[in-house]
Amino acid sequence: MKSTVSKALFIAFAAFVAISCSYQQEHQYRIVFLQCCHDEWRDVMNSEMKRELAFHPEINLEIVDSYSDTEKQVEQIRSLAKQKIDLLIITPNEAKPLTAAIEEIYKSGIPVIFVDRKTDSEHYSAYIGADNYELGKTAGKFIASQFRSGGSIIEIQLEMTSSPATERNRGFHDAIAAAPNLKIVEALETKNGLEDINTHIPRILNEHPETNIVFAHTDFLGVTAYKVAQKEGKVKNLFFVGIDAIPVTKGMQDVKNGVLNATLLYPTGGAEAIQTAVKILKKQPFKKENKLLTNVITSDNVDIMLSQIQKIKEQQVEIEREILKITQLNKTYSSQRNRLYFISALLTIVVILGAFLYFLLQEKQHSNKILEEQNLAILEQKNEIEKVSLLARKATEDKMRFYSYISHEFKTPLSLILTPTEDLLQRKNTDLKETHSTLQLIYKNANRLLRLVDQLLEMRKLDAGKMELERSQNDLVAFIKDIVGDFSVKAKQKHIDLQFISPFKELSFAFDTEKLDKVLFNIISNAFKFTPDGGLIHVSILKNTDKIEINIADNGIGMNAEEKAHAFDLFYRGNKNISLGTGLGLALSQEFVTLHGGEISINSEKNKGTTFKISLPIIETKQVLEEKSTAISYKTTYEFDDSEPLLIKNNSKHTFENTIILIEDNRDLNLFLNQKLEKQYNVVATENAEQGWQEILSYIPDIIICDVMLSGMDGFALTQKVKSDFRTSHIPVILLTAKSQIENQIEGTKAGADDYILKPFNQQLLEEKLKVLVENRDRMRRRFSNEVINPNQLQKGERRFLLEFEALIDKNIKDSTLSVEKLSQELGMSRVQLFRKISALTNKNVADYIAEYKLQKAKILLKEEEKNIAEIAYELGFSTPSYFTTFFKQKTNQTPTEWRNG
């Protein structure tokens, strides 16, 4: 018995020692990498391969160098074909001589991956490398961008038997061909290596002293050429560009040291080659063609690139350290496992002897308990992960559905903008009336898009929890009456009975004027959309002890039960397409009412009309404005979504793009001019300068025609008043007079008149002068539209106004609540007057002008690199850095970080 136990113990101990000392990771796959040659760029490639192999211990990689010997590489390939390898990675030294040998090994069943270079055959598994044609083309484009006035180029080529050399040469020549000011004075092929550069560069520089650019197919060739030119004393005026951008020691460091002016990043593809090899060996999907991206490295971005590469190296060291730890842990694990085997063997012997059975059972039960607890914890984690995954999937689906609806909302107005625009461009004969109607359609749909964007931004603020109420104590009756009054013209046009019914003359109430304005405007606007001509829309207000009710009722088409249930859903589509108002407007209105702590409900039946009821709780506030009239200063930027003409003073049946204020005290002449001009313009006619001035402030017209001899204020005084007021200084003035003396014309010119027409005058001459003034204003708009934000060499008048306006924006730019209303108040003009003034001068609305100013200032701050993105965002008045990033990307298609690093 003792002998048996001793033998069992000896065998178990021997097995333990053997297993404990036998830890070694077995390689499952053998990969051979045939390198064409040896240089620092390929050292980087080999380093990347080894780094990637750290994540794949099952792979054994053998790197074999051919030392630029094509015949030797052919022999190596044929030798490997006879051996047992799983995959071949190769950089062919030359294309044609290696084609047959590589086809043989590929057809034998061994996968082949080309790195950096190819052969003339299509028989290979995958290719990893930069697009050498695009590299050459990018180099040419970069040089063209740096030498717009012209340049002479020396191209230093690799030996043209390799695919990178031929492709880089072709891409470079294509790019230079597109730049007529650039020419290649000579192309030097380095068949004999550096000897060709040392021999021929001095000759070429002497023969072509006009040379100012050297483009080399590699950084090494470029640096060699630099040294030769330096010896010749001709390096000062030369611009050197290479390819490779080897980090630290070469390429990038040469740019940093000023040897090379620029280099193009030529990724090695080492890591990608190993990744592709792993996919091939493990039968996973892979791409055959893997083109690597490039980038131009100059002194502007080389420090950033070097620091990033240094950080990658540090991370690589950390990864290697962790891998070493993992290896040690694996060894420890193996050792512990072997000890466990030994203990198991010992326990088996003890079981045979029957001495330690009880303890073995206890240990086993304990192990099972631990495993059960671990399994339970793993199961709970799995359930949590599934829940999170389900929520993420649902959120993604909601986002995709929302984006889909938004896309549909954009398509209709975009179609109604693009199609009429194309029609206008293709017309040979222009009908003014038809053209104006078409432009109205385009303008209307552009405003639809603007309203949609505004509403999306409002929804985004609500979703982000950034929307806050700004309550103020105001007269609710006057507030609603003012809004209803805005629809009176439209009601008359459609013959709709529009009434505001209130048992109160005034009703003081604390609410956010801006948001409640949008709610009421949207609901009333929708009522007009769905109420036929001759219908009725009644707005009423009631007050209980604890709440106020606002009802908007119409006798329009109404809603069925399903439409009513989803009326406030974002982009709900029932049996017919939704409109903008019902897509976002009602959802936004509901959110604004909820912010007030109120409720909004619908009572509607099909073909019997609809009633919206808004219930708002009465909340006492101590902050009461001293002047109630100033509280209702916000007017919605929405416009009526219809095509009916505006009501003008001459009751014209047409609405034209340009408005003329006609001031003439002779009624016959006034009527005559009115009848003639109303065929092409919106004419507002008055008989005295005082009333004319009020109409000018009201309409902010495009042109003013004024008689000189008027009772009260004469034409000269009115002209001077128009030109001295910055609200109207941009408006051209034509003076009509019977005074033909030259001194009278001089007086009119001094007053600021743009033209002076003597009576009796030729009607055609007047119409032509009007046409020229309108065209000049349009040209000025386009010119100022291009010059805003940077109005150089400012002059008097309009440019001075723009300068003052920009100074006011800059003064308040940090204010996140900056609005058109605030700017107009500080300028001493109404919101409408400011809008028309800016639009007339720059062809932009005020919001776009402010946004453009912030964008340009953001670019200036980003260039300075003294502040981070968050600091810049708050300095520009954005509520959050994320909102600033979204705004900047919408305008430039780049994030602020990308723009700063670009």
Side-chain angles (χ1 to χ4, degrees):
M1 182 66 177
K2 289 183 179 180
S3 176
T4 302
V5 173
S6 298
K7 289 180 180 180
L9 288 171
F10 176 77
I11 293 170
F13 178 76
F16 166 73
V17 172
I19 294 173
S20 298
C21 299
S22 65
Y23 174 75
Q24 183 178 2
Q25 175 69 48
E26 293 185 0
H27 298 295
Q28 299 179 14
Y29 304 105
R30 179 190 177 198
I31 298 177
V32 177
F33 177 30
L34 287 185
Q35 270 279 31
C36 65
C37 49
H38 180 269
D39 52 42
E40 292 184 337
W41 184 83
R42 301 193 184 280
D43 288 342
V44 175
M45 176 190 290
N46 297 341
S47 175
E48 288 185 2
M49 285 186 171
K50 291 177 182 178
R51 182 170 69 239
E52 185 64 26
L53 283 169
F55 299 100
H56 303 283
E58 74 278 9
I59 293 177
N60 178 40
L61 176 67
E62 301 173 18
I63 300 177
V64 181
D65 203 325
S66 302
Y67 300 101
S68 302
D69 189 336
T70 302
E71 294 181 0
K72 183 175 182 179
Q73 197 170 42
V74 172
E75 292 177 3
Q76 291 170 339
I77 293 171
R78 289 176 176 163
S79 173
L80 289 172
K82 300 175 183 178
Q83 302 177 24
K84 185 181 179 182
I85 66 173
D86 297 290
L87 186 141
L88 174 64
I89 302 175
I90 183 169
T91 300
N93 189 51
E94 294 183 278
K96 292 183 178 180
L98 288 162
T99 300
I102 293 175
E103 281 186 348
E104 289 178 12
I105 195 169
Y106 177 78
K107 291 178 180 179
S108 70
I110 299 174
V112 176
I113 297 177
F114 286 135
V115 179
D116 178 36
R117 301 180 180 182
K118 290 184 179 180
T119 65
D120 293 342
S121 173
E122 292 298 322
H123 294 288
Y124 59 90
S125 303
Y127 168 74
I128 291 97
D131 190 331
N132 283 287
Y133 173 82
E134 286 298 325
L135 272 171
K137 193 170 184 180
T138 302
K141 289 181 178 179
F142 170 73
I143 291 172
S145 70
Q146 301 298 308
F147 293 87
R148 299 184 183 276
S149 60
S152 300
I153 306 170
I154 298 175
E155 180 186 5
I156 303 177
Q157 304 169 340
L158 289 166
E159 193 170 357
M160 297 299 286
T161 56
S162 66
S163 60
T166 58
E167 291 174 3
R168 291 176 187 181
N169 173 263
R170 184 163 54 88
F172 183 71
H173 278 254
D174 288 348
I176 296 303
N181 292 330
L182 296 177
K183 64 177 181 177
I184 300 174
V185 297
E186 187 163 338
L188 176 61
E189 182 181 0
T190 55
K191 295 181 178 180
N192 300 314
L194 303 183
E195 181 181 344
D196 289 334
I197 297 177
N198 293 323
T199 301
H200 295 290
I201 287 297
R203 174 187 60 78
I204 297 172
L205 291 175
N206 288 328
E207 292 178 359
H208 300 281
E210 75 278 10
T211 301
N212 58 346
I213 304 166
V214 177
F215 167 61
H217 281 202
T218 68
D219 292 338
F220 181 66
L221 296 178
V223 172
T224 304
Y226 176 89
K227 293 177 180 178
V228 173
Q230 191 176 43
K231 288 181 181 179
E232 296 293 321
K234 298 181 179 181
V235 74
K236 183 177 180 181
N237 298 322
L238 293 178
F239 189 88
F240 290 86
V241 179
I243 295 177
D244 279 349
I246 301 174
V248 184
T249 58
K250 294 291 182 183
M252 292 188 189
Q253 192 64 40
D254 290 327
V255 173
K256 182 176 178 63
N257 294 338
V259 175
L260 295 177
N261 297 93
T263 180
L264 274 72
L265 180 64
Y266 186 47
T268 65
E272 290 81 357
I274 297 301
Q275 293 168 0
T276 304
V278 171
K279 291 179 180 179
I280 292 174
L281 293 173
K282 294 185 177 181
K283 311 297 182 184
Q284 297 174 351
F286 67 94
K287 290 174 61 177
K288 184 172 182 178
E289 298 294 331
N290 300 271
K291 297 296 180 67
L292 305 177
L293 300 177
T294 185
N295 192 15
V296 179
I297 309 299
T298 65
S299 58
D300 294 332
N301 59 4
V302 67
D303 290 331
I304 296 174
M305 297 295 293
L306 287 172
S307 65
Q308 290 177 344
I309 291 169
Q310 184 61 35
K311 190 168 184 64
I312 290 173
K313 287 189 175 183
E314 293 173 357
Q315 292 174 345
Q316 175 60 23
V317 171
E318 185 64 26
I319 290 172
E320 291 175 355
R321 186 182 295 115
E322 293 299 323
I323 290 172
L324 180 60
K325 290 181 181 179
I326 291 172
T327 303
Q328 292 174 345
L329 289 173
N330 284 334
K331 290 181 179 179
T332 303
Y333 165 75
S334 178
S335 176
Q336 295 295 332
R337 182 187 61 185
N338 294 334
R339 288 193 180 94
L340 182 61
Y341 291 159
F342 173 75
I343 294 171
S344 298
L346 184 61
L347 288 175
T348 302
I349 296 172
V350 172
V351 168
I352 295 172
L353 298 176
F356 298 99
L357 180 61
Y358 175 77
F359 298 100
L360 179 62
L361 291 173
Q362 289 288 349
E363 185 69 21
K364 185 177 180 180
Q365 290 174 357
H366 179 66
S367 299
N368 288 339
K369 184 178 180 181
I370 293 174
L371 287 174
E372 288 177 1
E373 292 175 352
Q374 291 177 345
N375 287 336
L376 182 60
I378 291 171
L379 183 61
E380 290 177 352
Q381 291 177 357
K382 178 185 176 183
N383 293 335
E384 286 297 321
I385 291 173
E386 288 178 350
K387 289 179 181 178
V388 173
S389 176
L390 183 62
L391 291 173
R393 185 165 59 252
K394 186 177 183 303
T396 302
E397 291 174 355
D398 290 342
K399 287 180 181 179
M400 293 305 296
R401 187 182 303 111
F402 180 77
Y403 294 149
S404 176
Y405 289 152
I406 288 295
S407 299
H408 282 291
E409 281 297 316
F410 273 109
K411 282 183 178 179
T412 299
L414 281 174
S415 298
L416 292 174
I417 291 172
L418 293 174
T419 303
T421 302
E422 291 173 356
D423 179 61
L424 283 175
L425 292 173
Q426 294 172 1
R427 288 180 189 171
K428 295 182 179 179
N429 298 320
T430 302
D431 183 335
L432 183 61
K433 180 179 179 181
E434 186 177 355
T435 300
H436 180 69
S437 176
T438 303
L439 291 175
Q440 278 189 319
L441 179 63
I442 294 171
Y443 180 76
K444 178 176 69 176
N445 284 279
N447 275 288
R448 284 181 179 172
L449 290 178
L450 178 61
R451 292 199 301 275
L452 179 57
V453 171
D454 288 341
Q455 289 180 329
L456 286 174
L457 292 176
E458 297 280 10
M459 290 300 297
R460 183 182 180 278
K461 288 182 181 179
L462 284 167
D463 291 340
K466 302 297 183 182
M467 185 71 72
E468 297 180 357
L469 285 181
E470 297 182 4
R471 294 181 185 270
S472 59
Q473 202 77 14
N474 301 288
D475 182 2
L476 186 59
V477 172
F479 177 81
I480 299 174
K481 186 176 181 180
D482 185 48
I483 295 173
V484 173
D486 289 341
F487 291 85
S488 59
V489 173
K490 187 172 184 178
K492 290 180 181 178
Q493 293 169 349
K494 299 186 69 174
H495 304 289
I496 289 177
D497 177 19
L498 176 65
Q499 296 186 32
F500 173 50
I501 305 168
S502 171
F504 316 101
K505 290 185 177 180
E506 63 177 52
L507 181 59
S508 181
F509 182 59
F511 61 94
D512 188 317
T513 57
E514 177 183 342
K515 294 176 179 58
L516 192 57
D517 181 282
K518 290 183 179 180
V519 172
L520 296 176
F521 191 97
N522 180 266
I523 295 175
I524 297 173
S525 180
N526 280 334
F528 271 91
K529 290 178 185 178
F530 301 114
T531 301
D533 290 358
L536 64 84
I537 299 174
H538 290 175
V539 181
S540 60
I541 182 171
L542 298 172
K543 179 182 178 183
N544 297 328
T545 55
D546 58 347
K547 65 180 180 180
I548 291 175
E549 289 185 1
I550 303 171
N551 295 290
I552 300 98
D554 64 67
N555 64 345
I557 61 175
M559 307 180 192
N560 59 33
E562 183 181 0
E563 291 171 341
K564 185 169 65 174
H566 295 281
F568 297 106
D569 292 355
L570 277 175
F571 295 101
Y572 168 73
R573 292 181 182 268
N575 296 326
K576 58 183 180 180
N577 292 336
I578 59 170
S579 68
L580 174 66
T582 53
L584 269 174
L586 288 182
L588 196 61
S589 297
Q590 185 182 47
E591 293 291 344
F592 285 162
V593 172
T594 303
L595 274 177
H596 281 82
E599 295 179 351
I600 182 170
S601 60
I602 300 177
N603 182 18
S604 181
E605 290 184 29
K606 201 66 178 176
N607 299 320
K608 293 186 178 181
T610 302
T611 299
F612 283 84
K613 182 171 75 173
I614 302 171
S615 299
L616 301 173
I618 298 175
I619 300 175
E620 296 296 333
T621 178
K622 296 181 180 179
Q623 299 177 350
V624 180
L625 295 176
E626 293 181 0
E627 296 183 8
K628 296 181 180 179
S629 60
T630 60
I632 311 177
S633 61
Y634 176 82
K635 299 297 292 181
T636 180
T637 58
Y638 301 158
E639 296 184 16
F640 292 124
D641 185 17
D642 57 45
S643 57
E644 286 86 3
L646 297 173
L647 183 65
I648 60 177
K649 288 290 180 80
N650 65 348
N651 296 321
S652 172
K653 296 182 180 179
H654 304 285
T655 299
F656 299 101
E657 183 178 359
N658 299 297
T659 299
I660 293 176
I661 298 293
L662 173 62
I663 307 171
E664 172 59 59
D665 58 354
N666 184 296
R667 292 197 176 188
D668 292 335
L669 180 56
N670 192 311
L671 181 60
F672 172 77
L673 290 175
N674 197 334
Q675 291 173 344
K676 290 292 184 180
L677 297 178
E678 70 178 4
K679 297 176 182 179
Q680 300 181 50
Y681 305 94
N682 301 321
V683 182
V684 179
T686 64
E687 296 181 353
N688 60 75
E690 289 78 11
Q691 184 181 358
W693 174 246
Q694 297 302 320
E695 299 295 350
I696 290 169
L697 293 180
S698 176
Y699 285 91
I700 308 295
D702 297 279
I703 299 177
I704 300 170
I705 301 175
C706 181
D707 188 15
V708 172
M709 297 298 293
L710 298 171
S711 59
M713 186 192 308
D714 64 11
F716 294 145
L718 178 64
T719 302
Q720 192 170 15
K721 189 171 185 178
V722 167
K723 294 300 182 178
S724 62
D725 193 314
F726 61 81
R727 295 173 293 180
T728 58
S729 59
H730 66 284
I731 305 173
V733 178
I734 296 178
L735 290 177
L736 302 178
T737 183
K739 293 184 177 182
S740 59
Q741 291 82 0
I742 188 66
E743 54 268 20
N744 298 127
Q745 298 182 37
I746 293 173
E747 184 179 0
T749 303
K750 286 183 177 179
D754 296 83
D755 212 331
Y756 197 92
I757 299 180
L758 301 176
K759 296 179 183 179
F761 56 87
N762 183 279
Q763 177 65 26
Q764 185 178 357
L765 174 64
L766 174 62
E767 292 177 357
E768 288 301 320
K769 286 182 178 288
L770 289 173
K771 181 179 179 181
V772 170
L773 284 174
V774 169
E775 290 174 351
N776 288 340
R777 297 306 298 175
D778 288 339
R779 281 194 290 272
M780 187 184 71
R781 289 180 186 177
R782 291 192 293 271
R783 176 160 56 86
F784 279 153
S785 178
N786 293 329
E787 293 179 357
V788 291
I789 310 304
N790 185 24
N792 296 322
Q793 300 177 352
L794 291 168
Q795 301 173 1
K796 295 181 180 180
E798 287 75 29
R799 290 198 177 200
R800 180 183 296 172
F801 169 77
L802 289 180
L803 182 62
E804 294 174 355
F805 183 59
E806 288 183 4
L808 184 58
I809 296 174
D810 194 76
K811 174 185 174 183
N812 297 277
I813 198 166
K814 294 183 179 180
D815 186 0
S816 61
T817 63
L818 180 62
S819 63
V820 179
E821 289 71 26
K822 183 173 182 179
L823 292 173
S824 62
Q825 288 175 3
E826 291 201 27
L827 287 169
M829 58 197 304
S830 71
R831 182 179 63 83
V832 173
Q833 289 171 336
L834 178 60
F835 178 87
R836 290 178 177 173
K837 177 79 173 180
I838 294 298
S839 178
L841 289 178
T842 68
N843 214 21
K844 296 176 181 285
N845 62 43
V846 182
D848 287 345
Y849 194 102
I850 296 172
E852 185 69 19
Y853 185 89
K854 287 190 175 185
L855 177 65
Q856 296 301 327
K857 184 149 189 178
K859 290 180 179 180
I860 293 172
L861 293 175
L862 288 169
K863 283 182 180 179
E864 294 175 354
E865 298 187 356
E866 296 178 0
K867 300 179 181 179
N868 58 38
I869 303 300
E871 291 173 336
I872 293 174
Y874 293 126
E875 184 168 337
L876 294 177
F878 291 92
S879 56
T880 63
S882 61
Y883 180 38
F884 168 62
T885 299
T886 302
F887 164 82
F888 194 92
K889 189 167 185 180
Q890 287 174 346
K891 296 291 184 181
T892 64
N893 292 324
Q894 288 182 302
T895 64
T897 303
E898 291 172 347
W899 194 91
R900 169 176 276 179
N901 296 335

